[in-house]
Amino acid sequence: MSYIAQSTIQEVNHTLDALAVVGEYVRLEQRGGRYVGLCPFHNEKTPSFTVNPDLKLYHCFGCGKGGTVLNFVMEQEKLSFPEAVELLAKRLGVPIVYEHGQGQQDPGALSRMQELEQKTELYRRVAGSFHYLLMQGSEGTRAKHYVLSRGLSVETLDRFCLGYAPVDRRWLFLFLSQKGYSEAFLASSGLFSSKYPRSSFFSGRLMFPISDRQGRAIAFGGRLVSGEGPKYLNSPESNLYKKGQTLFALDHALSTIRNTQAVYIAEGYMDVIALHQAGIANAVAPLGTAFTDEQAQVLRRWAERVYLFFDADAAGRQAALKAILTCRRNGLVAEVVVPGHNLGPEGVYKDPADILKEAGPEVLQKSARNSIIDVEYLIIRSRSLFDLSDPEGKAKACDFMFPYLETLDSEVSRMASIEHIADVFGVDRMAVFQDYMNHIDSTQRHVSRRGGEENLRAAEHIRMNDELYLLIVVSIHGQWYPHLRTHLSIKEIEDPFAKELFIALEECFIYDESGMDALLSRISREDLRNFVIKQAASSEFSSKPEQLVSDGIKRIKRRRIEKRLSEIVMKLRIAASGTAEVHAKELLAEKMHIDAELRRMNEGR
Ligand code: ZN
């Protein structure tokens, strides 16, 4: 069995930039000396997630999750430890050394990584072939005419690698087996029918490659051009491709989303591509589903504001209502694009693709800018849904707004919204507030937040004390360990957690390992590991380690001596009472010695 050499792991740890790696997933801001952001592991609206770039650690004060940057990548990418090391090594250009022999790693991990590479390579090849068939093949002419008639340019077709899947379902299998792919591998690729493993899943369709964030094709969407079947068809889900977590065109949109901290969400592939062609490069689409919480969490890593650019029909309006709640629930501000507004009397186009085709890119750009904030959109919607001249209609309109109020992140903004709604609907503010409270009572008042509290409680078993404090200082500033071990013996430590840290530090010292990562891997108790990470993430220990270490050692020594002194005094008292046989002379000698030492210590302070 082969496993990744320790030297490679060390080098990856050494080379990686914690802010850059974590920054791929979380929008980090510098506050004071710290880097904070919204935690990707729990739902929150004010940042309690921190990264310590020097120690390459992350920690969330909200849910208690924390660890090394490698742990973070494992969690985020759902990878095993060796997979995460490989991923980062490749990104950083660190050569991976494999060793043979008895590793303690998951034997399946490397082959999973290989499988991922093989599959994305296959999809890339298939996407390229479909694209060729669309652009050059005679059978693809109809599909090509269709996309060009929709106003897409040849350049755009190239950029998004649009393709055509031939009507003959046997074509793809023959083509790929000629290229040397095995039947078993192709059967598991998601490109073929599960019932007839040589029969292509897609036939007679305009093909849209769906890529992951790095731009690797992981699935396809196909729009029917000829023949029968559903208008749109998506690849089946796989370990690579999860519909609810993937966003179409995110690979194209990511850099602009980062720069603008805003993202456009449209309903379909064609809409997103139309927006990109019109220069709105931060547009993405969910994949044949409603916009999900997971997708919102993905976007929240880089964006603050979401522009919902949905179809101007009943289904589109319904989707917008749901998406507003999904955005707000996940800490994103939502605006709704109302393209009809400034388009002139001839009216409202159906969707962004329509606008591009009928009115051109300038009008599409102008439409995209025409958005209103979610609460105003909801008020407009409720005006058209309910009769506000009637008390019952007013009550229904308020009810309609309550799910939105629930998603707001602060009591202040909730109260402000309640007042605003009451004024707009012409209802007494207090009455709306009362109705809202009743609404909350009837739904659930205490859903979220529990997971986090439980995690925090688990970490509370460990209490900070002088010993633990010192060992944490040395854990964070590992270069002080040699000093510590020459001045303090583990026998002088009483706290069990401090003892365990001492042992872990000693092991690292003996095996010549450096870095927080090595230390954490030698701490067996998870709560202690988390405690160390949490302390490291706070900036309390960052400055003057020399002072903290020498003060810490002195404090522990003095406390031990004082303790011994009080024992002696106690025993001497017992001796004086004559109830037990005590070697009073020796005790007195020791007391004198201790008194002298304490004096010395106090003078040296
Ligand atoms: Zn958290």
Side-chain angles (χ1 to χ4, degrees), residues 39 41-42 44 48 60 62-65:
C39 178
F41 301 107
H42 84 282
E44 64 174 2
S48 46
C60 173
C63 68
K65 280 225 180 202

